[in-house]
Amino acid sequence: HSGPKWYNIESGLSEGKKQNKMILIDVYTDWCKWCKKMDSDVYSDKEIVSYLEENFICVKLDGEGHSLMDYKHQNLTETEITKRFGINSYPTTVFFKANGYHISSIPGYFPANEFMNILTNISKNR
């Protein structure tokens, strides 16, 4: 199955600025079954994928990851960045404007049709 192109947070934020697109961050963990369901049911949905690719830069962030990333000029692990976002449940979808301004964080799994409603509502905040 083909999903959207995924970036890490470092390249995703700079790509968002470059392309003037909003940024969607999928915060997941390896053990989270609802995260896997988002991947298999939602991020593989053709309509969702084409909408995302048109309107968003997509980022995957491992809520328990140890990879170091440059976030706001600080070298932080994915876990530390997740804590900065105040996230403690997975999956959580975080939205940023192209300039890196945080719009909202939405915890939980959503079926494709509900997720599409969220995406279209968020897009109106450009």
Side-chain angles (χ1 to χ4, degrees), residues 82-101:
T82 301
K83 287 197 176 101
R84 288 270 165 99
F85 292 160
I87 292 170
N88 53 20
S89 70
Y90 309 99
T92 294
T93 310
V94 182
F95 294 95
F96 282 96
K97 289 191 174 193
N99 64 8
Y101 176 81

Side-chain angles (χ1 to χ4, degrees), residues 38-51:
M38 279 296 283
D39 283 339
S40 65
D41 299 359
V42 182
Y43 291 123
S44 64
D45 180 285
K46 281 190 185 77
E47 207 182 327
I48 298 268
V49 171
S50 76
Y51 193 84

Side-chain angles (χ1 to χ4, degrees), residues 7-25 57-59 70-72 81 85 95-101:
Y7 293 84
N8 69 30
I9 193 159
E10 202 171 317
S11 57
L13 289 171
S14 73
E15 202 58 37
K17 272 195 191 88
K18 211 182 296 174
Q19 295 187 35
N20 194 29
K21 284 184 176 178
M22 299 173 91
I23 298 136
L24 171 153
I25 304 175
I57 296 297
C58 297
V59 170
D70 177 32
Y71 178 69
K72 297 195 173 180
I81 296 168
F85 292 160
F95 294 95
F96 282 96
K97 289 191 174 193
N99 64 8
Y101 176 81

Side-chain angles (χ1 to χ4, degrees), residues 59-110:
V59 170
K60 281 257 186 220
L61 183 67
D62 181 347
E64 296 179 343
H66 299 294
S67 305
L68 281 172
M69 303 282 159
D70 177 32
Y71 178 69
K72 297 195 173 180
H73 310 294
Q74 289 184 291
N75 222 6
L76 301 170
T77 65
E78 290 175 290
T79 304
E80 290 168 325
I81 296 168
T82 301
K83 287 197 176 101
R84 288 270 165 99
F85 292 160
I87 292 170
N88 53 20
S89 70
Y90 309 99
T92 294
T93 310
V94 182
F95 294 95
F96 282 96
K97 289 191 174 193
N99 64 8
Y101 176 81
H102 178 254
I103 300 170
S104 71
S105 302
I106 304 171
Y109 167 85
F110 297 91

